[in-house]
Amino acid sequence: GVAQNTYNTGIWSKMDIQERSHIMNNIAYTLKNHLNIFAFKESVQTGRPIKEMEAQMTRLPEWFEYYASLIRSKVDTCLPFKGDFVNYVKREPLGVVAQITPWNHPLLISIKKLAPAIAAGNSVVIKPSELAPCSILEFVKLCESSGLPKGVINVITGYGPTTGKYLCNDSRISKIDFTGGTDTGRIIGEMAGRNITGMISELGGKSPMIVFDDVDIADVVNGTVFGSFIASGQTCIAGSRLLIQKGIYDKFVDKFVEKVKNIKVGDPLDNNTQMGPVISEQQLNKIDQMVKNAKKEGAKVLCGGNIINNQLNGYYYEPTVLEVEPHMEIFQEEVFGPVVVVHKFTDEKNAIELANNSEYGLGASIWTNNIKIGHRIADNIDAGIIWINDHHKNDPCSPWGGFKNSGIGRENGIEAFHEYTQTKSIIVNYSSNTTDWFSNSNSNVRYS
């Protein structure tokens, strides 16, 4: 009710664009001055290393700066409507939108959704994960202290099957934006369909990293280890399938495993820690069970493969590399943990077949010094985000989202702004001629 009432007052939805842009820039400026506080909160609630969170936090103000600029420079269209008509098209907010965010990047993913939603003039009800709500609750206070009217962003906390279900079933919601598992995405999609509610979803992934034999092995080992193990592998875009051309397979795998074995696992608040725990005991047990199943299917453990049972306080799993075959569950299904599978390929055709052998299509990376190969492979990979010679990189202007079972719609860029608006087409007749369709001679009257 608060979100709807706030929207109806027009205090934000009808605010002058320049003033709305100014407040969004204020939010970015205030956030820049509180990054260390948010990095600490994110690390404490998720277990991700403080060094990693401090690096990620520095990027977050950019989303508000980008959309503050976008709304000041966006151009509504005037279409070439046939005849003596002017047809102009305006973009207007949707109303009240719901956002359901996960625990792995609590503030980053929330801000990716919040910035375009409020830039467009919507009111938002956001439900963070019950495992990581703290930074989002604090962030809303920061927004309001920066000039955002109360009631524009509203946070409700609780569990998905209860609070989330209630929110998604509310007919007052104009759009649902969800990041999380594919199975949950299907359930939310059914709820949205019953209420004729729009939906954006960023769901599961099983991203391939394709390494060709012309690369500098040491450099690409560093890049792919980052792609696999940043955030303890708990990202939908994690490079969890490492495909290596046969000519360098053995040498590359040896160096990759050596690098993985040297990842420093420990206390997230220690600046020397490179990898922390996974989010919960439930997630730890899921990871362990999937690795055990892989072993039964014949996967070869090259390193790791076990729960860490020692003095560390948390749910730690060893950084793990498995040599597998494409038919195995662990090649196909998302682990969401520090586990990467490796497999060799022969040529470009084989690489494409293996990369696309998945129900998911979120991301992929291609590692090669041959510009022709890079573009050819990118052109044939079924994924919404493709990097050449890198992985994970993100920017407010760059569309983010997947193909196939990895979701629908896009975050970032003008695409996200469009996701949070609806078009109103206004057609004006300026002809000096009068018409009477029902006269006896109407042969020249335009029907449509």
Side-chain angles (χ1 to χ4, degrees), residues 98-101 125-128 130 156-173 176 178 184 186-195 197:
Q99 299 178 341
I100 300 175
T101 59
V125 180
I126 185 167
K127 192 205 87 66
E130 62 275 13
I156 58 170
T157 57
Y159 294 95
T162 50
T163 307
K165 181 179 179 182
Y166 177 83
L167 178 61
C168 293
N169 272 318
D170 195 313
S171 60
R172 294 171 294 181
I173 297 296
I176 302 167
F178 169 72
T184 305
R186 288 192 177 99
I187 294 168
I188 292 173
E190 291 174 5
M191 298 177 194
R194 284 194 293 269
N195 285 328
T197 299

Short mmCIF file of all heavy atoms in Angstrom, two decimals, residues 98-101 125-128 130 156-173 176 178 184 186-195 197:
data_model
loop_
_atom_site.label_atom_id
_atom_site.label_comp_id
_atom_site.label_asym_id
_atom_site.label_seq_id
_atom_site.Cartn_x
_atom_site.Cartn_y
_atom_site.Cartn_z
N ALA A 98 8.05 -5.18 -8.24
CA ALA A 98 8.62 -6.05 -7.20
C ALA A 98 9.98 -6.54 -7.65
O ALA A 98 10.17 -6.90 -8.82
CB ALA A 98 7.70 -7.23 -6.94
N GLN A 99 10.92 -6.54 -6.73
CA GLN A 99 12.26 -7.05 -7.02
C GLN A 99 12.65 -8.06 -5.95
O GLN A 99 12.55 -7.78 -4.75
CB GLN A 99 13.27 -5.89 -7.05
CG GLN A 99 12.95 -4.87 -8.14
CD GLN A 99 13.90 -3.69 -8.16
OE1 GLN A 99 14.58 -3.42 -7.18
NE2 GLN A 99 13.93 -2.97 -9.27
N ILE A 100 13.06 -9.23 -6.41
CA ILE A 100 13.45 -10.31 -5.49
C ILE A 100 14.91 -10.63 -5.78
O ILE A 100 15.26 -11.04 -6.89
CB ILE A 100 12.55 -11.54 -5.67
CG1 ILE A 100 11.09 -11.15 -5.40
CG2 ILE A 100 12.99 -12.67 -4.75
CD1 ILE A 100 10.10 -12.25 -5.66
N THR A 101 15.76 -10.38 -4.78
CA THR A 101 17.20 -10.44 -5.02
C THR A 101 17.85 -11.57 -4.20
O THR A 101 17.34 -11.96 -3.15
CB THR A 101 17.86 -9.10 -4.68
OG1 THR A 101 17.59 -8.76 -3.31
CG2 THR A 101 17.30 -7.99 -5.57
N VAL A 125 9.04 -2.38 -4.42
CA VAL A 125 9.04 -3.22 -3.22
C VAL A 125 10.10 -4.29 -3.46
O VAL A 125 9.99 -5.08 -4.40
CB VAL A 125 7.67 -3.88 -2.97
CG1 VAL A 125 7.72 -4.73 -1.71
CG2 VAL A 125 6.57 -2.84 -2.86
N ILE A 126 11.13 -4.28 -2.64
CA ILE A 126 12.24 -5.21 -2.83
C ILE A 126 12.28 -6.21 -1.67
O ILE A 126 12.16 -5.83 -0.52
CB ILE A 126 13.58 -4.46 -2.98
CG1 ILE A 126 14.72 -5.43 -3.30
CG2 ILE A 126 13.90 -3.59 -1.77
CD1 ILE A 126 16.00 -4.74 -3.76
N LYS A 127 12.41 -7.49 -2.04
CA LYS A 127 12.57 -8.53 -1.02
C LYS A 127 13.95 -9.15 -1.17
O LYS A 127 14.21 -9.91 -2.09
CB LYS A 127 11.51 -9.63 -1.16
CG LYS A 127 11.49 -10.55 0.08
CD LYS A 127 10.95 -11.94 -0.20
CE LYS A 127 12.01 -12.90 -0.67
NZ LYS A 127 13.06 -13.22 0.34
N PRO A 128 14.87 -8.80 -0.28
CA PRO A 128 16.20 -9.41 -0.33
C PRO A 128 16.15 -10.84 0.20
O PRO A 128 15.18 -11.24 0.87
CB PRO A 128 17.03 -8.52 0.58
CG PRO A 128 16.05 -7.95 1.57
CD PRO A 128 14.74 -7.82 0.82
N GLU A 130 16.65 -13.83 2.62
CA GLU A 130 16.65 -13.90 4.07
C GLU A 130 18.06 -14.15 4.62
O GLU A 130 18.34 -13.90 5.79
CB GLU A 130 15.71 -15.00 4.57
CG GLU A 130 16.06 -16.41 4.13
CD GLU A 130 15.53 -16.78 2.76
OE1 GLU A 130 15.09 -15.89 2.01
OE2 GLU A 130 15.58 -17.98 2.42
N ILE A 156 10.76 -5.47 2.13
CA ILE A 156 10.08 -6.45 2.98
C ILE A 156 11.01 -7.65 3.12
O ILE A 156 11.62 -8.09 2.15
CB ILE A 156 8.71 -6.88 2.43
CG1 ILE A 156 8.81 -7.46 1.01
CG2 ILE A 156 7.73 -5.72 2.45
CD1 ILE A 156 7.52 -8.09 0.54
N THR A 157 11.16 -8.12 4.33
CA THR A 157 12.05 -9.25 4.58
C THR A 157 11.22 -10.50 4.86
O THR A 157 10.06 -10.42 5.26
CB THR A 157 12.97 -8.97 5.77
OG1 THR A 157 12.17 -8.66 6.92
CG2 THR A 157 13.89 -7.79 5.48
N GLY A 158 11.82 -11.64 4.62
CA GLY A 158 11.13 -12.89 4.87
C GLY A 158 11.60 -13.97 3.92
O GLY A 158 12.54 -13.77 3.13
N TYR A 159 10.95 -15.10 3.98
CA TYR A 159 11.32 -16.27 3.19
C TYR A 159 10.59 -16.25 1.84
O TYR A 159 9.47 -15.75 1.72
CB TYR A 159 11.02 -17.56 3.95
CG TYR A 159 11.85 -17.74 5.18
CD1 TYR A 159 11.39 -17.33 6.43
CD2 TYR A 159 13.13 -18.29 5.11
CE1 TYR A 159 12.15 -17.48 7.57
CE2 TYR A 159 13.91 -18.45 6.25
CZ TYR A 159 13.43 -18.05 7.48
OH TYR A 159 14.20 -18.19 8.59
N GLY A 160 11.23 -16.85 0.86
CA GLY A 160 10.64 -16.90 -0.48
C GLY A 160 9.29 -17.56 -0.55
O GLY A 160 8.35 -17.00 -1.12
N PRO A 161 9.13 -18.77 0.04
CA PRO A 161 7.85 -19.47 -0.09
C PRO A 161 6.68 -18.78 0.62
O PRO A 161 5.52 -19.12 0.37
CB PRO A 161 8.14 -20.84 0.56
CG PRO A 161 9.62 -21.00 0.47
CD PRO A 161 10.17 -19.62 0.64
N THR A 162 6.98 -17.83 1.50
CA THR A 162 5.90 -17.12 2.20
C THR A 162 5.84 -15.66 1.75
O THR A 162 4.95 -15.27 1.00
CB THR A 162 6.10 -17.20 3.73
OG1 THR A 162 7.44 -16.80 4.06
CG2 THR A 162 5.86 -18.62 4.22
N THR A 163 6.82 -14.86 2.17
CA THR A 163 6.83 -13.44 1.82
C THR A 163 6.95 -13.23 0.31
O THR A 163 6.22 -12.43 -0.28
CB THR A 163 8.00 -12.73 2.53
OG1 THR A 163 7.92 -13.01 3.93
CG2 THR A 163 7.93 -11.23 2.31
N GLY A 164 7.87 -13.95 -0.31
CA GLY A 164 8.05 -13.81 -1.76
C GLY A 164 6.81 -14.21 -2.52
O GLY A 164 6.42 -13.54 -3.49
N LYS A 165 6.19 -15.29 -2.11
CA LYS A 165 4.97 -15.76 -2.78
C LYS A 165 3.85 -14.73 -2.65
O LYS A 165 3.14 -14.43 -3.61
CB LYS A 165 4.54 -17.10 -2.16
CG LYS A 165 3.30 -17.70 -2.80
CD LYS A 165 2.96 -19.04 -2.15
CE LYS A 165 1.70 -19.64 -2.76
NZ LYS A 165 1.35 -20.93 -2.10
N TYR A 166 3.70 -14.17 -1.45
CA TYR A 166 2.67 -13.15 -1.21
C TYR A 166 2.89 -11.94 -2.12
O TYR A 166 1.96 -11.42 -2.74
CB TYR A 166 2.70 -12.74 0.26
CG TYR A 166 1.71 -11.64 0.61
CD1 TYR A 166 0.38 -11.95 0.89
CD2 TYR A 166 2.12 -10.31 0.64
CE1 TYR A 166 -0.52 -10.94 1.20
CE2 TYR A 166 1.22 -9.30 0.94
CZ TYR A 166 -0.11 -9.63 1.23
OH TYR A 166 -1.00 -8.64 1.52
N LEU A 167 4.14 -11.52 -2.22
CA LEU A 167 4.47 -10.35 -3.04
C LEU A 167 4.17 -10.61 -4.51
O LEU A 167 3.56 -9.78 -5.19
CB LEU A 167 5.95 -9.99 -2.84
CG LEU A 167 6.50 -8.82 -3.66
CD1 LEU A 167 5.76 -7.53 -3.33
CD2 LEU A 167 8.00 -8.66 -3.40
N CYS A 168 4.59 -11.76 -5.01
CA CYS A 168 4.42 -12.06 -6.43
C CYS A 168 2.96 -12.29 -6.82
O CYS A 168 2.60 -12.15 -8.00
CB CYS A 168 5.25 -13.29 -6.82
SG CYS A 168 7.03 -13.00 -6.73
N ASN A 169 2.14 -12.64 -5.86
CA ASN A 169 0.72 -12.86 -6.14
C ASN A 169 -0.11 -11.59 -6.03
O ASN A 169 -1.31 -11.60 -6.32
CB ASN A 169 0.15 -13.91 -5.17
CG ASN A 169 0.33 -15.32 -5.69
OD1 ASN A 169 0.13 -15.58 -6.86
ND2 ASN A 169 0.73 -16.23 -4.81
N ASP A 170 0.49 -10.47 -5.61
CA ASP A 170 -0.25 -9.23 -5.42
C ASP A 170 -0.57 -8.61 -6.78
O ASP A 170 0.33 -8.29 -7.56
CB ASP A 170 0.57 -8.26 -4.58
CG ASP A 170 -0.27 -7.10 -4.04
OD1 ASP A 170 -1.04 -6.51 -4.84
OD2 ASP A 170 -0.16 -6.78 -2.85
N SER A 171 -1.84 -8.43 -7.07
CA SER A 171 -2.26 -7.94 -8.38
C SER A 171 -1.88 -6.48 -8.61
O SER A 171 -1.97 -5.98 -9.73
CB SER A 171 -3.77 -8.11 -8.55
OG SER A 171 -4.47 -7.38 -7.54
N ARG A 172 -1.46 -5.78 -7.55
CA ARG A 172 -1.06 -4.37 -7.72
C ARG A 172 0.35 -4.23 -8.29
O ARG A 172 0.75 -3.14 -8.69
CB ARG A 172 -1.13 -3.64 -6.36
CG ARG A 172 -2.54 -3.51 -5.81
CD ARG A 172 -2.52 -2.98 -4.38
NE ARG A 172 -1.91 -3.94 -3.46
CZ ARG A 172 -1.79 -3.73 -2.15
NH1 ARG A 172 -2.26 -2.61 -1.62
NH2 ARG A 172 -1.23 -4.64 -1.38
N ILE A 173 1.08 -5.33 -8.35
CA ILE A 173 2.44 -5.30 -8.88
C ILE A 173 2.39 -5.27 -10.41
O ILE A 173 1.72 -6.07 -11.04
CB ILE A 173 3.23 -6.54 -8.40
CG1 ILE A 173 3.37 -6.53 -6.87
CG2 ILE A 173 4.58 -6.61 -9.08
CD1 ILE A 173 4.17 -5.38 -6.32
N ILE A 176 7.60 -8.02 -12.08
CA ILE A 176 8.43 -8.74 -11.12
C ILE A 176 9.81 -8.90 -11.74
O ILE A 176 9.95 -9.34 -12.88
CB ILE A 176 7.84 -10.12 -10.79
CG1 ILE A 176 6.43 -10.00 -10.21
CG2 ILE A 176 8.75 -10.87 -9.82
CD1 ILE A 176 5.68 -11.32 -10.14
N PHE A 178 13.28 -10.83 -10.92
CA PHE A 178 13.78 -11.88 -10.04
C PHE A 178 15.14 -12.36 -10.49
O PHE A 178 15.37 -12.62 -11.68
CB PHE A 178 12.80 -13.06 -10.04
CG PHE A 178 13.32 -14.31 -9.38
CD1 PHE A 178 13.45 -14.37 -8.00
CD2 PHE A 178 13.68 -15.42 -10.13
CE1 PHE A 178 13.94 -15.52 -7.39
CE2 PHE A 178 14.17 -16.57 -9.52
CZ PHE A 178 14.30 -16.61 -8.15
N THR A 184 12.70 -21.78 -9.26
CA THR A 184 11.92 -20.73 -8.62
C THR A 184 11.42 -19.74 -9.65
O THR A 184 10.29 -19.24 -9.56
CB THR A 184 12.77 -19.99 -7.57
OG1 THR A 184 13.30 -20.95 -6.65
CG2 THR A 184 11.95 -18.96 -6.81
N ARG A 186 10.49 -20.35 -12.67
CA ARG A 186 9.30 -20.91 -13.32
C ARG A 186 8.05 -20.70 -12.46
O ARG A 186 6.98 -20.36 -12.97
CB ARG A 186 9.51 -22.40 -13.59
CG ARG A 186 10.50 -22.71 -14.70
CD ARG A 186 10.42 -24.18 -15.10
NE ARG A 186 11.33 -24.46 -16.20
CZ ARG A 186 12.53 -24.99 -16.08
NH1 ARG A 186 13.00 -25.30 -14.88
NH2 ARG A 186 13.29 -25.21 -17.13
N ILE A 187 8.20 -20.92 -11.16
CA ILE A 187 7.06 -20.75 -10.24
C ILE A 187 6.60 -19.30 -10.24
O ILE A 187 5.39 -19.00 -10.32
CB ILE A 187 7.45 -21.19 -8.81
CG1 ILE A 187 7.73 -22.70 -8.79
CG2 ILE A 187 6.36 -20.82 -7.81
CD1 ILE A 187 8.40 -23.19 -7.50
N ILE A 188 7.54 -18.35 -10.17
CA ILE A 188 7.19 -16.93 -10.18
C ILE A 188 6.55 -16.56 -11.51
O ILE A 188 5.60 -15.77 -11.56
CB ILE A 188 8.44 -16.07 -9.90
CG1 ILE A 188 8.89 -16.29 -8.45
CG2 ILE A 188 8.16 -14.59 -10.14
CD1 ILE A 188 10.20 -15.62 -8.10
N GLY A 189 7.05 -17.14 -12.60
CA GLY A 189 6.46 -16.87 -13.91
C GLY A 189 5.00 -17.27 -13.98
O GLY A 189 4.19 -16.58 -14.61
N GLU A 190 4.65 -18.37 -13.35
CA GLU A 190 3.25 -18.80 -13.32
C GLU A 190 2.39 -17.79 -12.55
O GLU A 190 1.28 -17.47 -12.97
CB GLU A 190 3.14 -20.18 -12.68
CG GLU A 190 3.75 -21.30 -13.53
CD GLU A 190 3.76 -22.64 -12.80
OE1 GLU A 190 3.23 -22.70 -11.66
OE2 GLU A 190 4.33 -23.60 -13.34
N MET A 191 2.91 -17.30 -11.43
CA MET A 191 2.18 -16.30 -10.66
C MET A 191 2.00 -15.02 -11.47
O MET A 191 0.92 -14.42 -11.49
CB MET A 191 2.93 -15.97 -9.36
CG MET A 191 3.10 -17.13 -8.40
SD MET A 191 4.08 -16.61 -6.95
CE MET A 191 4.50 -18.20 -6.24
N ALA A 192 3.07 -14.59 -12.13
CA ALA A 192 2.99 -13.37 -12.94
C ALA A 192 1.97 -13.53 -14.06
O ALA A 192 1.19 -12.60 -14.33
CB ALA A 192 4.37 -13.05 -13.51
N GLY A 193 1.96 -14.69 -14.66
CA GLY A 193 1.02 -14.92 -15.77
C GLY A 193 -0.44 -14.82 -15.34
O GLY A 193 -1.28 -14.29 -16.07
N ARG A 194 -0.74 -15.31 -14.14
CA ARG A 194 -2.14 -15.25 -13.66
C ARG A 194 -2.62 -13.82 -13.48
O ARG A 194 -3.80 -13.53 -13.65
CB ARG A 194 -2.27 -16.03 -12.35
CG ARG A 194 -2.29 -17.54 -12.53
CD ARG A 194 -2.77 -18.24 -11.27
NE ARG A 194 -1.84 -18.09 -10.16
CZ ARG A 194 -0.84 -18.94 -9.90
NH1 ARG A 194 -0.63 -19.97 -10.71
NH2 ARG A 194 -0.04 -18.74 -8.88
N ASN A 195 -1.69 -12.92 -13.13
CA ASN A 195 -2.07 -11.52 -12.90
C ASN A 195 -1.74 -10.62 -14.09
O ASN A 195 -1.87 -9.40 -13.99
CB ASN A 195 -1.34 -10.98 -11.66
CG ASN A 195 -1.93 -11.51 -10.37
OD1 ASN A 195 -3.13 -11.76 -10.29
ND2 ASN A 195 -1.10 -11.68 -9.36
N THR A 197 1.11 -9.91 -15.20
CA THR A 197 2.20 -9.08 -14.70
C THR A 197 3.47 -9.37 -15.51
O THR A 197 3.77 -10.53 -15.79
CB THR A 197 2.47 -9.40 -13.21
OG1 THR A 197 1.29 -9.10 -12.47
CG2 THR A 197 3.63 -8.58 -12.66
#
